[in-house]
Amino acid sequence: MSGRVVPAPATGRGDPAVQRLVQAAFETIRSRYVLARHQIAAAILDADGTVHVGLHVDAMIGRAAVCAEACALSAARLSTDAALVAVAAVRYPKPTEPPEARLVPPCGLCRELLLDHAPDLTVAINGSKGIELMPLKGLLPHKYVGTKWAACAAPEATPTQTRH
Ligand SMILES: [Zn+2]
């Protein structure tokens, strides 16, 4: 954890749920930041109003790293079957950078992953009027659609069904 004072990203006077989401991601990375190990945290809001956080886990081999959004998705699914409404991710500055935490959009892999599990998810982005939510589909208009899950139960299946 850094001893620097890094303010949270400015959320303006927008939607309180968005502010809570961004604040949760910021507080997570502010408290768990480790240079080259944990640089981003994500928060996912579910339809019941619960926020689930995840922490980016870096690795010596870059492709072994796991994004914060994937960790937040896992955390959400560990505790609820509720629909997932919105995601926000905050990147904490390195010690050599200006002390500015900033909102970052999901990487390409996370766009695919999140849309696989939450096709109606919105994402917090820096818009022209401050932080706003936009449909994640808008960031990935031509998502890959495979056939792997065609014969499986939908992710929204009842909790009593066996999952594999
Ligand atoms: Zn990612």
Side-chain angles (χ1 to χ4, degrees):
M1 185 175 137
S2 163
R4 291 193 300 166
V5 175
V6 176
T11 53
R13 297 182 181 179
D15 184 340
V18 176
Q19 294 180 8
R20 193 160 67 99
L21 198 60
V22 172
Q23 193 65 28
F26 172 72
E27 289 299 334
T28 301
I29 193 58
R30 187 185 63 78
S31 65
R32 302 306 306 161
Y33 172 82
V34 176
L35 178 63
R37 290 183 186 268
H38 309 294
Q39 192 144 344
I40 296 175
I44 292 179
L45 176 70
D46 72 28
D48 295 330
T50 302
V51 172
H52 310 270
V53 296
L55 184 66
H56 151 246
V57 183
D58 211 337
M60 288 282 186
I61 298 173
R63 69 181 185 184
V66 182
C67 290
E69 293 91 334
C71 296
L73 174 63
S74 178
R77 284 303 173 237
L78 277 170
S79 65
T80 184
D81 288 310
L84 304 179
V85 175
V87 61
V90 173
R91 179 189 181 276
Y92 201 81
K94 295 175 183 173
T96 55
E97 296 174 333
E100 179 183 321
R102 60 184 174 88
L103 205 59
V104 289
C107 74
L109 284 175
C110 286
R111 294 175 194 193
E112 287 281 350
L113 176 68
L114 293 167
L115 286 172
D116 280 344
H117 293 270
D120 296 321
L121 193 68
T122 58
V123 56
I125 58 151
N126 283 309
S128 58
K129 299 173 187 167
I131 292 177
E132 42 190 79
L133 292 177
M134 72 170 289
L136 182 55
K137 287 176 186 167
L139 294 182
L140 192 64
H142 302 286
K143 184 197 175 318
Y144 177 76
V145 180
T147 58
K148 179 161 75 173
W149 290 352
C152 303
E156 295 80 19
T158 61
T160 53
Q161 289 181 300
T162 302
R163 293 180 171 190
H164 298 281

